Amino acid sequence: AGIKPAVSVRHRRVECGAFNFDFDQSFGPQSTQEDIFKDVESLVTSVLDGYNVCIFAYGQTGAGKTYTMEGPEDNPGINYRALEAMFKCITEER
């Protein structure tokens, strides 16, 4: 029996000792703001349908969580893109 690594990552599951963590999606450093927003864009409709939604960015310091969620003015992150899409949907429904 070999030594088991401290953290093992399998498709959409992270095993860390006695703890297992499942996740819906993971994005690599090559992912763009557009790629990430496309994956969560359908959640805007869910919010407007009355569902509670939480988009959570997790990672080590310096991994890009704030950049992904907020982004710079010329390349907005998920928060601003979601708000823009939500208000667009509301305006189109009127």
Side-chain angles (χ1 to χ4, degrees):
I3 298 173
K4 185 177 179 182
V7 176
S8 173
V9 179
R10 296 193 177 138
H11 182 70
R12 298 187 179 202
R13 171 167 279 215
V14 175
E15 297 174 0
C16 183
F19 300 99
N20 294 319
F21 303 95
D22 294 311
F23 53 93
D24 294 320
Q25 187 62 291
S26 176
F27 296 94
Q30 74 285 355
S31 300
T32 65
Q33 300 284 53
E34 292 83 15
D35 294 336
I36 297 169
F37 184 68
K38 283 179 190 174
D39 193 66
V40 300
E41 188 173 15
S42 64
L43 296 175
V44 170
T45 304
S46 296
V47 168
L48 294 173
D49 289 340
Y51 291 95
N52 294 324
V53 171
C54 177
I55 300 172
F56 185 76
Y58 179 81
Q60 69 185 47
T61 300
K65 300 174 298 293
T66 301
Y67 180 84
T68 299
M69 297 304 286
E70 294 184 16
E73 280 188 42
D74 63 335
N75 190 15
I78 292 173
N79 293 340
Y80 295 106
R81 290 171 191 260
L83 287 170
E84 182 180 342
M86 187 171 60
F87 287 119
K88 182 180 177 184
C89 287
I90 292 168
T91 302
E92 290 173 356
E93 287 183 6
R94 289 184 178 180

